[in-house]
Amino acid sequence: MTAISTAPAQDLVFLSEVFPLLIARPNLAGYEVIPEIDQETGNRLSFHLSQKLEAATVIWHERRLWLLTPSQRPRPTLSQCQAALSITQQDLPDLSDQSLRLQEDNAAIATSTVLSKLAFQILRIRRPFRPILVTAIAGLTVNRKVKFWAETIELQGQARPALALAVQTEIAFAGSLADFYASNPGSPEDVLIGLPVQDFDLGGSGSIVRLVGTLREHRDRLLKLAAGGATRQAIQTAPDDQFVVAIQFGKGKKLFHYPLSALRPSITAETAGQFGFDYGQFLRFTKIPHTERQRLLRTFKAQAMDVLLRYGFEIERSLNSLEHPDLFWQPAVPLDQTPLLFGQGVTGVRGRILHGLSTGGVYNRHPNFHPGIIRIAALKLCDGSVNAFLEAVQQRLRRYGFESEIIDRKALSVADLSAAEARAALEKAVNKLITVPVDIVLTFLPQGDREADGDDGGSLYHLVYSLLLRRNIASQVIYDDTLTGVEHGQILNQVVPGVLAKLGNLPFILAEPLEIADYFIGLDISRSPKVRLAGTLNACASIRLYGKQGEFIRYVLEDALLEGEEIPQRLLERLLPATLEGKTVLIYRDGRFCGQEIPHLLERARAIQARFILVECRKSGIPRLYNLNQRTLVAPLQGLALRLSSREAVLVTTQVSERVGLARPLRLTVHEAGEPAPIEQVVETTLKLTLLHHGALKAPRLPMPIYGADRVAGLRLQGIYPSSLLEGDRQFWL
Amino acid sequence: MGKIWLPFASYNLWSLFAPAVGQERWHCDMKRGYAKVRKRESDIAAILAEDTVPQAIGLFAQQGVYEFHADPQRLKDRDGVAQVSQILKLDQESDEVRDRLSRILTLYYENPVLLKKRIFSLSRGDEGFPEPIKLYLGNTAFNLFAAIDCILLEPDGTLHILDLKTGHSDFDERQAFVYLLAASYLFPRQRAIASFYNLELCKWSEPVTATASQLNAIRIELARLAQRHEMEKKQYRRNPAEFDRIFPPNPGFQCQHCPFNRVCQFAAQEISA
């Protein structure tokens, strides 16, 4: 990266939530399982064995069970382990008829990954952390909790085990799901199916898929299966007529059975409404001030230390730039000074986009407006006049070199309508409005819609967006409170560049080409269960192509019925055409590469003699970074990065005020199967690609090739837009 | 000297590019591919040559109305419907066509909605392509084809463009807008409205009017469609193997009603439960 290793300064130190672990002489044994078992089975066995073997903790990693015993205790013998395995198998019906045998593997070397996973498993099973109550309102409690996971870190060329500790806020239902169900009478199917829930033992989140029966029928079977203490107790003590439900955790295919009292409703911003709670009233409690965060991290670290020490683990100070200056970077040129290119060769920077557009116009004009005017329709659902604003929009477009015409305008009053009536009236109005085709519809919504359910349920915003997308018409929503409370010029500053981009123009690109590759591609796949075929999925993959200066070229979507999350070979062939022959292409995957994607990509690369740098970009389970200013945590600088290894880094791409929260970094991993690339250069490239969001004056968290990709494919899965939109050159997702 | 060939647009082409509002899920671009770029292939040509029942009924109904007004005495004669049926040679048609036309002609005979109107023009429906109207977008020209069934003169001098319908489909207002755009060029100094009349349901639509801005928007849309259509034709000629990429299929329930389902490899097959 043309980045600088930061010289430690007295007043500015960088910190992370990654804590290296030390373990001098681990009391450790490795076992092979014969015959070989798959990872999912290995993970399940290790979890149950950790319960059965009391003090010892077990993980599954690379075809071995690893067993760590506290330093001062004798290790379980092979026969004790074998006996525990046999008992565990009896409790797991699908494994009970297999003859599994353990074979000690003295030659196996525990890698840092094994050690960090063991530390994680100890904390997961022994649960030393205690949530800290912030407040309780209306049957809900707001707690601060720790989130932790295993990390590895490369220090002086050596991989070291580490642990990430992060603070998060949890809003929890005060009782169990049984309590919730008792106070919400109705048919059990209607009340329970689809509810998002958590189990008390591990806090795993899932949703209820179906009713299994009552405890009277299933108690004995469930008692054999139960691993966690809370679940076991619930099974033992709940009444006979309590329902047993099947839960699907995450994307797993396996269903797990629980009685209602072993679960609790999972309350999040997305799900609170399902339980009849107003999440808005809890929002202010979810913001954790930096000082509190600092105190909590110390507390949780101490709690982790209590249990890990027994196994011989020491937790070091979190990675910081005083001790490891070589691990932290910032771009040599501040991100907001990166030169951008507008029309007519005019250059500018992110903070001066409007000036760039005024002086040079857009970098590239869509053929529709070459010549041609922008056809605008306006739909008003709020009080007050919008004529002056529409006039201002036209003037601003003219300033950037575009003529426009207001084709039609409609007013619709929804104040006295129910939500369903309002949606029906809006649909009718939109359909009428777009009979005469326009390029963009400006919709003025009442501010109450901001609080409406943001997904496919209730918001007028979402309804307008999807109705217009079906017709290949761009959409721009402006809320009433913005219109009345913000000066028109300010609104236009935010809105107009995005409008131009949604219409297929490119307002600006990077002024200097990125060195790492000739093309940049974003890959994503969205899935949704097929309604009529249980266990199968509809999937839609999206690919976007960008040029050497970050210029958007086109996108392609592919529908396919896929098992898992693979991107089909056919799609790769469609989008990775001969134009990429002999080129270097950096491919961002939103999340991890799955299944056969890597072999498919490499095969394609060979076929067209191209070089593919494969980069995974993950958004969750990432340690946060901080600045430390006079011993106090403060928000990290945009562009701050932590090098975890020569192939992996954590990168802060956004600047967030403390009032809003704390920046959530990205994790970038250069996949070893692809072309090698210096992680520093990948970090710098990723940062620069966040600058190219044309729909907002603030740079987004994700680089543009994968920004909003889940939304694009997801909308297709909902049947929201037609097959004619499966390929295109307009960034309608902005 | 021959005419210079130009890209073209029409309501029909527009409907092949984009369905009526609300019908998006049933829209299939591949249908346009068959109808427009593969129409000379023998099996496709054979399908296109088949007058489907609804099309035949629409055409005969239009001709029936024309014949009634060609000699308005037929609307007074007791055997007026029989006379027109004979002119149209309905006895040579299938039972379904004959029965439905008999009902349509009877309904019109009983309620001849155009009788007291000033008819400016009324077409028989089988005159072939109308004269194209040359339109421009910037420096680019294209031909607009608009086959207008009937133009009436309202008492205040307004031109009333009327499209006669049969069947039970909803009126697609876009067709009215295309006619109004055509009228704005053909009769630039006259105010115009457009409406639909369904001969089977005896139902008038609300009259459709258009502002200058709306007509401009329609003109731009048709110009873009004409260009897009030219581009996709060229793409297909260059690489016929790319047919399903240029005209992406949208298989589903709608395949049952698609005339090309027997030649389309993507057509969703009905699975009996």
Side-chain angles (χ1 to χ4, degrees):
Chain A
M1 173 164 165
T2 45
I4 45 168
S5 299
T6 48
Q10 282 298 310
D11 58 346
L12 198 63
V13 175
F14 304 128
L15 284 184
S16 74
E17 292 177 336
V18 179
F19 297 81
L21 295 167
L22 270 177
I23 183 161
R25 281 186 300 281
N27 195 358
L28 186 68
Y31 298 97
E32 278 187 45
V33 178
I34 298 165
E36 204 171 289
I37 54 174
D38 63 20
Q39 180 159 333
E40 190 192 352
T41 307
N43 287 341
R44 279 170 67 207
L45 281 178
S46 67
F47 178 76
H48 284 272
L49 282 170
S50 296
Q51 312 276 351
K52 292 273 183 301
L53 288 164
E54 288 185 23
T57 298
V58 186
I59 62 150
W60 174 259
H61 182 69
E62 288 183 352
R63 299 193 301 281
R64 279 192 193 84
L65 283 170
W66 294 91
L67 192 140
L68 185 69
T69 312
S71 312
Q72 307 306 322
R73 294 185 62 163
R75 235 184 277 161
T77 61
L78 176 59
S79 60
Q80 286 172 318
C81 293
Q82 185 67 60
L85 175 63
S86 301
I87 295 167
T88 299
Q89 279 186 258
Q90 293 315 307
D91 292 346
L92 301 172
D94 55 327
L95 297 179
S96 58
D97 57 349
Q98 289 189 45
S99 167
L100 296 179
R101 193 165 53 81
L102 294 178
Q103 182 174 300
E104 196 151 10
D105 185 357
N106 295 321
I109 308 278
T111 61
S112 52
T113 305
V114 167
L115 294 170
S116 57
K117 274 180 144 184
L118 279 162
F120 166 76
Q121 187 82 316
I122 290 165
L123 297 177
R124 185 171 170 236
I125 305 274
R126 310 297 164 212
R127 304 171 65 204
F129 302 112
R130 290 171 294 283
I132 293 160
L133 180 70
V134 176
T135 186
I137 307 172
L140 295 184
T141 58
V142 180
N143 302 308
R144 303 282 189 240
K145 286 184 74 176
V146 68
K147 193 171 182 215
F148 58 94
W149 61 91
E151 285 283 357
T152 57
I153 176 79
E154 202 178 275
L155 296 174
Q156 288 88 43
Q158 288 256 305
R160 290 269 310 274
L163 200 62
L165 297 175
V167 182
Q168 63 176 25
T169 303
E170 174 197 72
I171 296 176
F173 186 73
S176 73
L177 188 62
D179 302 323
F180 174 80
Y181 178 62
S183 56
N184 286 272
S187 98
E189 286 85 0
D190 289 349
V191 175
L192 296 172
I193 304 248
L195 275 188
V197 293
Q198 282 181 305
D199 75 300
F200 277 112
D201 272 313
L202 295 175
S205 295
S207 62
I208 299 177
V209 176
R210 60 186 171 87
L211 300 180
V212 176
T214 61
L215 256 180
R216 184 183 291 108
E217 304 156 307
H218 296 277
R219 198 186 302 267
D220 293 346
R221 180 178 65 84
L222 292 182
L223 272 174
K224 279 186 180 176
L225 291 171
T231 306
R232 175 170 289 277
Q233 194 187 356
I235 297 166
Q236 285 167 333
T237 58
D240 274 353
D241 61 350
Q242 187 171 111
F243 282 114
V244 174
V245 289
I247 308 294
Q248 181 181 31
F249 288 104
K251 295 173 183 174
K253 289 180 189 168
K254 196 170 164 49
L255 300 181
F256 296 85
H257 296 178
Y258 288 87
L260 296 188
S261 50
L263 300 164
R264 66 176 179 198
S266 171
I267 311 287
T268 65
E270 291 75 32
T271 66
Q274 280 179 268
F275 298 100
F277 293 108
D278 172 14
Y279 195 82
Q281 65 176 321
F282 297 95
L283 210 55
R284 62 196 169 97
F285 297 110
T286 62
K287 310 299 174 200
I288 309 172
H290 295 327
T291 49
E292 185 190 347
R293 200 179 280 275
Q294 194 167 5
R295 189 168 40 80
L296 288 169
L297 279 170
R298 281 201 204 101
T299 304
F300 289 134
K301 181 186 170 185
Q303 290 174 354
M305 193 92 94
D306 274 351
V307 66
L308 287 177
L309 262 175
R310 287 178 236 155
Y311 290 81
F313 278 111
E314 286 178 55
I315 307 179
E316 295 189 326
R317 263 200 297 268
S318 74
L319 291 176
N320 62 79
S321 60
L322 281 175
E323 292 170 303
H324 304 284
D326 54 326
L327 294 188
F328 290 86
W329 297 300
Q330 292 175 91
V333 175
L335 187 61
D336 57 10
Q337 293 307 306
T338 305
L340 303 173
L341 182 61
F342 298 85
Q344 300 175 51
V346 169
T347 56
V349 293
R350 181 85 213 185
R352 307 253 301 148
I353 285 172
L354 305 172
H355 180 260
L357 287 171
S358 299
T359 49
V362 296
Y363 169 77
N364 187 49
R365 196 178 267 264
H366 192 275
N368 276 355
F369 311 107
H370 211 8
I373 59 164
I374 296 175
R375 301 168 300 172
I376 301 171
L379 179 60
K380 183 172 80 80
L381 284 81
C382 56
D383 299 331
S385 169
V386 298
N387 291 339
F389 182 78
L390 292 175
E391 182 62 36
V393 168
Q394 289 190 272
Q395 279 177 14
R396 180 61 67 90
L397 286 169
R398 199 169 299 127
R399 192 193 299 176
Y400 299 157
F402 288 84
E403 288 304 319
S404 62
E405 191 169 5
I406 308 291
I407 303 302
D408 204 352
R409 48 186 99 200
K410 280 201 174 4
L412 173 70
S413 174
V414 293
D416 301 326
L417 303 179
S418 69
E421 288 168 335
R423 284 166 61 81
L426 177 61
E427 182 163 359
K428 202 170 164 185
V430 169
N431 286 349
K432 184 78 182 158
L433 190 67
I434 60 177
T435 304
V436 174
V438 290
D439 298 306
I440 187 156
V441 174
L442 303 179
T443 309
F444 301 89
L445 288 179
Q447 129 190 19
D449 193 60
R450 281 188 195 273
E451 277 77 55
D453 181 10
D455 61 25
D456 208 6
S459 82
L460 300 176
Y461 173 96
H462 192 274
L463 178 63
V464 168
Y465 181 85
S466 59
L467 286 171
L468 294 175
L469 191 54
R470 271 173 213 183
R471 304 296 300 180
N472 206 350
I473 295 171
S475 165
Q476 182 65 54
V477 166
I478 296 121
Y479 285 103
D480 189 17
D481 54 334
T482 308
L483 200 61
T484 52
V486 182
E487 200 246 322
H488 283 180
Q490 291 287 353
I491 304 172
L492 296 173
N493 292 350
Q494 291 280 349
V495 161
V496 173
V499 165
L500 290 174
K502 287 174 189 177
L503 296 174
N505 307 287
L506 279 182
F508 54 86
I509 61 170
L510 295 170
E512 290 158 10
L514 295 161
E515 289 169 20
I516 195 169
D518 302 303
Y519 288 99
F520 300 86
I521 279 178
L523 280 188
D524 177 61
I525 189 148
S526 288
R527 306 172 312 150
S528 73
K530 277 179 90 80
V531 178
R532 294 186 185 175
L533 289 168
T536 60
L537 295 166
N538 272 321
C540 179
S542 83
I543 279 188
R544 298 186 204 164
L545 182 64
Y546 290 76
K548 202 167 171 60
Q549 287 174 266
E551 67 274 24
F552 172 65
I553 297 171
R554 67 196 180 106
Y555 72 87
V556 174
L557 293 166
E558 173 89 355
D559 295 284
L561 182 65
L562 303 173
E563 284 303 324
E565 281 213 354
E566 287 180 36
I567 293 191
Q569 175 75 340
R570 185 174 151 225
L571 174 65
L572 298 177
E573 287 172 8
R574 275 182 57 188
L575 192 91
L576 308 175
T579 42
L580 302 181
E581 193 166 325
K583 303 289 186 198
T584 301
V585 183
L586 190 154
I587 299 181
Y588 283 103
R589 175 66 160 96
D590 191 355
R592 288 178 180 274
F593 286 103
C594 300
Q596 291 302 297
E597 282 170 22
I598 296 270
H600 284 171
L601 283 163
L602 295 178
E603 195 180 317
R604 188 67 192 149
R606 275 193 297 275
I608 60 174
Q609 297 174 339
R611 292 170 298 282
F612 289 174
I613 301 164
L614 305 173
V615 177
E616 292 173 343
C617 181
R618 280 179 277 163
K619 300 174 293 221
S620 56
I622 300 158
R624 283 179 156 132
L625 305 182
Y626 303 94
N627 284 4
L628 190 68
N629 195 353
Q630 298 181 334
R631 308 180 70 84
T632 304
L633 284 191
V634 292
L637 295 170
Q638 189 179 21
L640 179 64
L642 167 68
R643 180 187 200 273
L644 294 172
S645 75
S646 58
R647 290 193 298 104
E648 189 162 80
V650 167
L651 169 66
V652 175
T653 51
T654 52
Q655 195 75 52
V656 180
S657 78
E658 187 173 5
R659 193 173 42 80
V660 174
L662 186 67
R664 291 178 304 142
L666 302 176
R667 184 191 296 262
L668 299 167
T669 310
V670 181
H671 202 284
E672 59 198 340
E675 285 289 306
I679 189 68
E680 298 85 347
Q681 220 179 352
V682 171
V683 163
E684 184 193 27
T685 300
T686 306
L687 260 183
K688 286 182 174 172
L689 287 171
T690 63
L691 289 170
L692 297 173
H693 188 313
H694 302 120
L697 292 183
K698 234 174 123 186
R701 183 180 171 211
L702 289 172
M704 280 319 287
I706 48 175
Y707 169 84
D710 49 348
R711 187 183 192 191
V712 174
L715 286 168
R716 171 66 185 167
L717 283 182
Q718 293 169 42
I720 281 180
Y721 55 94
S723 50
S724 57
L725 275 183
L726 290 179
E727 222 172 310
D729 57 0
R730 301 187 325 157
Q731 304 176 76
F732 62 80
W733 51 85
L734 291 178
Chain B
M1 189 173 140
K3 283 184 183 172
I4 297 172
W5 190 89
L6 288 174
F8 78 93
S10 63
Y11 163 70
N12 173 263
L13 184 72
W14 189 0
S15 65
L16 288 170
F17 265 102
V21 171
Q23 303 293 308
E24 292 80 8
R25 278 183 184 228
W26 318 123
H27 180 72
C28 177
D29 288 291
M30 192 165 271
K31 197 170 170 181
R32 182 175 72 256
Y34 284 119
K36 293 293 181 187
V37 304
R38 291 178 60 178
K39 59 187 176 197
R40 289 193 179 86
E41 293 174 23
S42 56
D43 47 358
I44 310 295
I47 291 168
L48 290 169
E50 295 167 9
D51 245 0
T52 64
V53 169
Q55 280 171 333
I57 288 167
L59 183 58
F60 280 126
Q62 166 88 31
Q63 289 172 355
V65 172
Y66 176 89
E67 294 300 342
F68 276 126
H69 289 279
D71 181 359
Q73 183 58 38
R74 291 174 187 146
L75 288 165
K76 293 181 183 143
D77 293 347
R78 290 180 65 178
D79 64 345
V81 171
Q83 290 177 46
V84 172
S85 298
Q86 200 171 12
I87 294 166
L88 302 184
K89 298 181 179 153
L90 291 183
D91 56 339
Q92 295 173 20
E93 296 302 320
S94 68
D95 290 350
E96 185 186 356
V97 171
R98 205 171 47 242
D99 292 349
R100 274 180 65 189
L101 253 300
S102 169
R103 189 167 172 274
I104 288 168
L105 295 176
T106 305
L107 284 169
Y108 193 80
Y109 173 83
E110 290 167 354
N111 181 24
V113 292
L114 301 185
L115 190 60
K116 291 198 171 102
K117 305 271 184 192
R118 284 181 62 196
I119 297 175
F120 179 80
S121 73
L122 176 62
S123 80
R124 197 171 185 274
D126 55 0
E127 294 90 345
F129 280 108
E131 272 298 301
I133 303 161
K134 192 173 178 183
L135 302 187
Y136 286 89
L137 181 66
N139 297 323
T140 313
F142 69 99
N143 279 332
L144 172 65
F145 289 98
I148 295 172
D149 290 347
C150 175
I151 302 178
L152 306 171
L153 263 175
E154 295 293 339
D156 65 354
T158 298
L159 287 180
H160 185 158
I161 298 162
L162 178 66
D163 195 72
L164 298 170
K165 293 286 177 199
T166 52
H168 289 76
S169 311
D170 290 338
F171 303 128
D172 184 353
E173 275 195 355
R174 296 178 304 168
Q175 190 173 5
F177 282 116
V178 171
Y179 291 154
L180 290 172
L181 177 65
S184 73
Y185 283 87
L186 295 170
F187 313 102
R189 279 189 289 279
Q190 277 186 277
R191 185 174 172 268
I193 60 171
S195 69
F196 301 95
Y197 179 74
N198 187 307
L199 294 161
E200 280 187 283
L201 306 175
C202 301
K203 182 179 156 191
W204 283 96
S205 74
E206 287 296 310
V208 178
T209 58
T211 63
S213 291
Q214 287 177 316
L215 292 180
N216 194 27
I218 303 280
R219 181 178 60 91
I220 291 168
E221 189 70 13
L222 294 173
R224 287 183 193 170
L225 290 182
Q227 293 300 330
R228 269 177 68 189
H229 186 44
E230 280 314 295
M231 204 157 41
E232 64 188 8
K233 281 196 292 191
K234 279 183 192 146
Q235 281 176 317
Y236 176 72
R237 282 186 207 121
R238 267 203 307 269
N239 195 350
E242 295 269 276
F243 180 69
D244 64 323
R245 263 199 70 186
I246 303 163
F247 303 99
N250 184 27
F253 172 78
Q254 62 278 14
C255 296
Q256 292 177 51
H257 307 288
C258 175
F260 303 107
N261 59 12
R262 60 182 187 259
V263 294
C264 179
Q265 60 169 317
F266 297 94
Q269 301 302 318
E270 209 180 349
I271 299 160
S272 51

